[in-house]
Amino acid sequence: MLYVPESYSVQAAEDTFNNMPNTVENFCHWDRPYVEEVYDVNDYWYDEGETEKDEFGVTYANEGQRLISANGSAKIGKYYYVPDGVVTICDGAFMGIDDYLELSVPRSIKVIGDYIFGQEGGKIVFRD
């Protein structure tokens, strides 16, 4: 079984399936996370009504365990302290931040998504 995201068009899915080896018998469009929601790095798997923003404009979900995003108007500066208890930083979380950014992250972090920094990049420092 091959799972493809719901955002994957039906035509693209059919093309992919038709070009696959015979060892794959089926594919499925999934419409929910395939890992526990708290560990999913896709920023679109959360309930809008259950998010919270900190004083810097950074959005969190799952009771603060998933860092979703910081928009371009966030007042972060060049340093951001990710609170204890966060386990996931989602894909592109800080893409909206133009400056080089240093993240101080807790040891509770289990998953860091792709392309989390903006065009100037950044660095991740794990705290003790």
Side-chain angles (χ1 to χ4, degrees):
M1 172 89 58
L2 173 67
Y3 291 90
V4 294
E6 188 174 38
S7 60
Y8 205 62
S9 74
V10 172
Q11 183 61 52
E14 287 176 6
D15 291 346
T16 301
F17 186 70
N18 290 332
N19 291 314
M20 294 167 73
N22 293 335
T23 56
V24 176
E25 297 175 7
N26 206 340
F27 74 91
C28 176
H29 272 103
W30 46 265
D31 60 355
R32 62 188 58 84
Y34 57 90
V35 295
E36 284 184 60
E37 189 173 296
V38 72
Y39 297 123
D40 195 330
V41 294
N42 293 300
D43 64 348
Y44 48 83
W45 293 118
Y46 64 94
D47 182 348
E48 280 282 341
E50 295 182 17
T51 62
E52 52 195 56
K53 287 190 181 216
D54 68 9
E55 65 271 20
F56 300 102
V58 178
T59 304
Y60 290 88
N62 295 82
E63 298 176 352
Q65 292 183 318
R66 288 183 69 218
L67 190 157
I68 302 293
S69 67
N71 61 31
S73 63
K75 308 246 187 278
I76 290 179
K78 295 183 185 293
Y79 179 84
Y80 184 72
Y81 182 94
V82 176
D84 291 335
V86 172
V87 296
T88 302
I89 299 176
C90 291
D91 293 340
F94 295 95
M95 286 293 289
I97 306 302
D98 294 330
D99 296 327
Y100 181 87
L101 180 63
E102 182 176 316
L103 290 181
S104 171
V105 299
R107 295 274 176 197
S108 60
I109 290 285
K110 303 264 188 253
V111 182
I112 297 175
D114 291 328
Y115 307 106
I116 65 168
F117 295 113
Q119 66 185 46
E120 293 299 318
K123 136 175 141 173
I124 299 169
V125 177
F126 285 87
R127 299 189 299 270
D128 287 328

